[in-house]
Amino acid sequence: MISIAEHQPKTESRQLLWTPSELTDLPDLEWTWEHWLPKGEVVLLAAKQGSGKSTLTYQISQAVADGEQLPDGSYADRGNVLYFDLEASPEAAGKRFRELGVKSESVHCCFLDGLPEGASRLEFFLFLVKNGQYDLAVIDSYRGLRVGDEMRADQTRETLDQLVAVAHEFSTTILIVHHLNKQSSSKDELDRVSGSSDLTARPRIVWLMNREGRERTLKVAKSNLGPEPEPIKFEMEDGRLIPIEQPNAVSAIEDACSFLQSMLANGPVPAQQATPAAIKHGISKRTLERAKRLMRVNSERRSDGWVWTR
């Protein structure tokens, strides 16, 4: 088996012990997609075969690569994407990308026939993330990694620990596609996810995607990082998932713009007052930043500190 470890760049180890003052000075959590894809974390998407999970991840990859609209109506910050496809061939992926109109040079796809002979699939994925400066890395699918028996907690935990470590170290969001095929009498819907319970315990966020006829529903079934967003419903049209019901992303931006216009009507406002006031009003930091760009609000440094002005 080829070892890739010797080719990996050496990086500084993460701090082991922290004081409360050091922790409070850390920046707030950033998002690739607010409430759905946290930066530097691992997220699991589980769905039954034929639900459209790969189509969904292709569309999300396109949105991140091009800075386009995400399924909830918000817009992604433009970034680099790695799509580690262990199920489709390059020809099949090319057909799907043509159907979706994806042409971005910021999406890098890797397929089984392109892996070095004898290489560990997991090791090669980690190698690509460490050397590629990716904002989003998709594994489609977990089963394709062939990292042992997914029913064994020790093997699953070891794999996820490696993925979590590289996500943290390189600030890459790792989205794992997996299968939802177990029948369970449990009231906890996470018990339907195939494999060891560690597959849902280790990721910070878990998505479930269900299909009823033409309609698909995507929901956050677990989040350790904040409130769970409203589920998103889709219909499949011409090989693309089209949202049926858009949550209030547009109205949230309009509300934030109106708030900024009112707040700045009488002149510049200190930044240390503006942000807390917006958060108290119910505006997220990501929405606030988008509204600032739309309203052309500038941050200026003055003798008494930073201010916002138009």
Side-chain angles (χ1 to χ4, degrees):
M1 179 176 291
I2 295 175
S3 174
I4 303 172
E6 62 189 32
H7 301 295
Q8 295 172 352
K10 293 183 178 180
T11 56
E12 296 182 3
S13 59
R14 288 173 62 86
Q15 184 170 333
L16 180 61
L17 299 175
W18 300 78
T19 65
S21 61
E22 289 175 324
L23 291 172
T24 55
D25 286 340
L26 289 174
D28 291 337
L29 176 69
E30 296 183 352
W31 296 85
T32 299
W33 177 15
E34 191 165 14
H35 302 307
W36 295 85
L37 289 173
K39 289 188 177 181
E41 299 289 351
V42 172
V43 176
L44 182 77
L45 162 61
K48 287 187 176 182
Q49 187 173 0
S51 297
K53 54 186 181 294
S54 293
T55 299
L56 174 68
T57 51
Y58 272 55
Q59 290 181 212
I60 291 172
S61 297
Q62 176 192 16
V64 173
D66 293 336
E68 293 184 352
Q69 196 171 34
L70 290 158
D72 67 348
S74 63
Y75 282 80
D77 291 331
R78 190 184 298 270
N80 295 321
V81 179
L82 169 65
Y83 203 100
F84 200 66
D85 200 326
L86 300 171
E87 296 196 348
S89 66
E91 293 76 16
K95 179 177 182 295
R96 181 169 291 171
F97 277 130
R98 283 194 299 274
E99 292 172 346
L100 296 175
V102 180
K103 296 181 179 179
S104 176
E105 298 297 320
S106 297
V107 179
H108 297 164
C109 299
C110 183
F111 303 94
L112 280 178
D113 60 0
L115 297 183
E117 185 177 353
S120 157
R121 298 177 183 185
L122 175 61
E123 275 192 29
F124 195 69
F125 173 79
L126 297 174
F127 173 77
L128 291 175
V129 172
K130 291 178 180 181
N131 289 275
Q133 297 182 334
Y134 292 109
D135 298 279
L136 172 65
V138 180
I139 299 174
D140 189 0
S141 64
Y142 179 83
R143 194 165 287 170
L145 284 176
R146 293 187 179 175
V147 285
D149 186 351
E150 66 184 39
M151 297 300 297
R152 288 187 53 177
D154 57 338
Q155 294 182 3
T156 300
R157 192 178 305 119
E158 180 181 357
T159 300
L160 289 173
D161 282 348
Q162 293 182 69
L163 293 172
V164 168
V166 78
H168 287 174
E169 186 173 357
F170 293 89
S171 297
T172 300
T173 302
I174 296 178
L175 176 59
I176 304 171
V177 179
H178 193 46
H179 297 280
L180 185 67
N181 56 16
K182 289 196 308 188
Q183 299 297 325
S184 173
S185 58
S186 171
K187 293 183 179 180
D188 187 350
E189 55 191 348
L190 294 179
D191 289 339
R192 296 172 56 209
V193 177
S194 178
S196 163
S197 60
D198 284 83
L199 273 165
T200 57
R202 197 68 176 92
R204 303 303 298 274
I205 293 179
V206 177
W207 305 354
L208 297 183
M209 191 171 185
N210 295 301
R211 175 181 179 178
E212 292 185 10
R214 292 183 58 194
E215 187 173 298
R216 278 80 163 168
T217 302
L218 178 69
K219 65 177 293 185
V220 171
K222 165 202 162 180
S223 176
N224 293 338
L225 300 174
E228 297 170 3
E230 290 293 321
I232 303 173
K233 294 183 181 296
F234 302 89
E235 279 189 346
M236 185 74 78
E237 295 182 9
D238 299 324
R240 189 177 186 89
L241 288 168
I242 307 298
I244 300 173
E245 300 174 3
Q246 289 279 15
N248 60 350
V250 174
S251 61
I253 288 293
E254 291 174 346
D255 181 50
C257 289
S258 177
F259 174 83
L260 287 174
Q261 186 173 17
S262 175
M263 182 177 65
L264 299 173
N266 296 321
V269 174
Q272 62 181 6
Q273 296 178 15
T275 300
I279 293 173
K280 187 176 181 180
H281 188 73
I283 301 170
S284 71
K285 288 186 177 180
R286 186 181 180 89
T287 300
L288 183 63
E289 288 302 316
R290 283 195 59 215
K292 283 179 65 181
R293 291 195 294 269
L294 289 172
M295 297 289 292
R296 297 184 179 179
V297 174
N298 298 314
S299 296
E300 295 182 1
R301 188 169 188 173
R302 299 184 177 180
S303 59
D304 55 348
W306 288 91
V307 298
W308 290 4
T309 183
R310 293 187 68 192

